[in-house]
Amino acid sequence: MNQGRFITIEGTEGVGKSTNLAFIRQWLEARGQRVLVTREPGGTPLAEDIRTLLLSPREEPVTPMTELLMIFAARAQHLEQVVKPALARGTWVLCDRFTDSTYAYQGGGRGFDQQVIAQLEDLVQGSLRPDLTLVLDIDVKEGLSRASQRSDPDRFEGETLAFFERVRAVYRGLAERAPERYALVDAGQPLADVQRELADALASLANS
């Protein structure tokens, strides 16, 4: 049985990940792929509990190290219980956020040492990396305006504009340094154009 492929979708707030996750799933299934859609933090009951702890606003300050370790704890559980078994079955895994979010939000936004993140990445993931990472990119103010219309802000969405500018800069830097794995997509353009670019990136992966 062929190994499944691992696709992740990334971006700052309000880039349209949910809408485009549905499109990607439909695109892959229409071409005969078995697809599992999951998310981070989360994807298992334990990891979803950690997600709730991470995202809920609270009076007690959460230190950057605490936040980082909770994220990787959830990731370790998710990988072992969901992602790795699915890939071994030949299923294509489509994940809403993965370790690039950690580099962007904890490394860029919080200013945490990227080398420490890389060490935890190696410890928890071993050699596992996404086959394709789709980065939806948008002007930060526009994205936050979109996000504000859908729900009350979580602990991350309440951060400053400067925080999200740093997050966006890390995403763009990752995509520019490794174009063989990343596809940087302008999420501010019409949805049909966004999805055409996504389909092009998926087709390249499917044909590789």
Side-chain angles (χ1 to χ4, degrees), residues 11 55 78 108 110 119 132 134 146 162 168 179:
L55 298 187
H78 184 221
R110 302 277 189 236
Q119 289 171 343
L132 172 65
L134 302 161
R146 289 184 185 183
R168 184 190 185 197

Side-chain angles (χ1 to χ4, degrees), residues 48-69:
E48 289 290 335
D49 287 345
I50 296 173
R51 178 188 181 90
T52 299
L53 290 172
L54 279 164
L55 298 187
S56 298
R58 63 184 67 250
E59 292 184 7
E60 178 186 2
V62 180
T63 72
M65 179 62 83
T66 300
E67 185 176 276
L68 182 67
L69 292 176

Side-chain angles (χ1 to χ4, degrees), residues 36-54 70-86 93 95-96 98:
L36 171 68
V37 178
T38 188
R39 69 177 182 177
E40 287 211 349
T44 80
L46 175 56
E48 289 290 335
D49 287 345
I50 296 173
R51 178 188 181 90
T52 299
L53 290 172
L54 279 164
M70 289 172 70
I71 287 168
F72 270 105
R75 182 163 297 138
Q77 186 74 4
H78 184 221
L79 285 172
E80 296 303 321
Q81 296 296 319
V82 174
V83 175
K84 290 181 180 179
V93 177
C95 191
D96 180 354
F98 193 57

Side-chain angles (χ1 to χ4, degrees), residues 32-188:
Q33 301 298 342
R34 289 178 297 170
V35 181
L36 171 68
V37 178
T38 188
R39 69 177 182 177
E40 287 211 349
T44 80
L46 175 56
E48 289 290 335
D49 287 345
I50 296 173
R51 178 188 181 90
T52 299
L53 290 172
L54 279 164
L55 298 187
S56 298
R58 63 184 67 250
E59 292 184 7
E60 178 186 2
V62 180
T63 72
M65 179 62 83
T66 300
E67 185 176 276
L68 182 67
L69 292 176
M70 289 172 70
I71 287 168
F72 270 105
R75 182 163 297 138
Q77 186 74 4
H78 184 221
L79 285 172
E80 296 303 321
Q81 296 296 319
V82 174
V83 175
K84 290 181 180 179
L87 293 173
R89 293 192 302 269
T91 299
W92 286 46
V93 177
L94 176 57
C95 191
D96 180 354
R97 299 198 184 282
F98 193 57
T99 307
D100 291 305
S101 281
T102 311
Y103 282 106
Y105 280 76
Q106 282 67 51
R110 302 277 189 236
F112 207 94
D113 188 339
Q114 301 273 9
Q115 290 186 337
V116 174
I117 297 174
Q119 289 171 343
L120 288 169
E121 180 181 33
D122 289 340
L123 176 66
V124 170
Q125 297 170 218
S127 63
L128 179 63
R129 300 292 185 274
D131 296 290
L132 172 65
T133 296
L134 302 161
V135 179
L136 298 174
D137 181 59
I138 198 169
D139 175 80
V140 169
K141 288 183 180 179
E142 181 180 348
L144 291 175
S145 176
R146 289 184 185 183
S148 68
Q149 299 171 20
R150 69 188 182 208
S151 63
D152 293 332
D154 61 31
R155 194 170 62 83
F156 286 94
E157 291 170 341
E159 288 290 346
T160 65
L161 183 66
F163 175 93
F164 289 109
E165 293 286 7
R166 294 193 298 273
V167 170
R168 184 190 185 197
V170 171
Y171 275 134
R172 291 176 64 89
L174 289 168
E176 289 165 3
R177 288 192 296 274
E180 69 281 0
R181 174 158 83 83
Y182 295 86
L184 185 66
V185 178
D186 178 4

